[in-house]
Amino acid sequence: MRTLLAGLLFWMAADFPLVEPKDVSALLAKGPAPAILYVGPNVLYRSKHIPGAQYAGPGSRPEGLDVLKSAVAKLPRGREIVVYCGCCPWDHCPNMKPAMELLRSLGFTHAKAMYLPDNFKANWIDHGYPVE
């Protein structure tokens, strides 16, 4: 519980909108899906990821942020975007905050961070949400 509160306080301070995995899964089922961007390690993306998600580089590295810039370059600034990582517990993730800050600085007004308190496996795969 303490970890959850620390993670939420971190994000509240950063003022980034959050979305729950169940809500992202529902969006995928309804269609059309938002742009879904994975901003963690490539090895995890190659293992399993959300269907239709685009690898957008690790947000903790300058070269990863360059990949993210390229991934969103042609998207309208009002497009709905879901960003996720899930490499580690939420409050330790080095990728989400830089990625969300970059999207905000580029003028994306409908970008949301998917809240994965533990990791992608525990909070997405183990719940039976779709993967490819």
Side-chain angles (χ1 to χ4, degrees):
M1 183 65 161
R2 178 182 282 173
T3 302
L4 172 64
L5 290 175
L8 288 175
L9 288 174
F10 168 78
W11 283 96
M12 285 171 46
D15 194 32
F16 298 124
L18 299 177
V19 63
E20 294 287 330
K22 66 181 173 64
D23 298 324
V24 174
S25 180
L27 286 171
L28 291 174
K30 275 194 317 192
I36 300 177
L37 305 173
Y38 176 75
V39 295
N42 195 7
V43 66
L44 295 179
Y45 175 83
R46 288 191 319 260
S47 172
K48 288 190 176 158
H49 56 270
I50 295 173
Q54 181 178 354
Y55 177 69
S60 62
R61 298 180 177 197
E63 60 273 14
L65 292 175
D66 288 341
V67 174
L68 178 57
K69 280 182 199 174
S70 294
V72 300
K74 295 182 181 177
L75 293 179
R77 296 307 186 247
R79 173 82 189 269
E80 187 175 9
I81 298 173
V82 172
V83 178
Y84 79 101
C85 179
C87 67
C88 59
W90 180 261
D91 60 336
H92 291 90
C93 182
N95 299 302
M96 291 296 295
K97 187 176 180 189
M100 290 299 293
E101 286 175 343
L102 175 65
L103 291 174
R104 177 179 280 168
S105 75
L106 294 173
F108 287 93
T109 57
H110 291 88
K112 295 178 183 175
M114 185 166 71
Y115 178 63
L116 299 168
D118 302 306
N119 58 53
F120 184 65
K121 181 185 180 317
N123 303 120
W124 184 272
I125 296 171
D126 291 353
H127 285 266
Y129 298 132
V131 292
E132 60 181 21

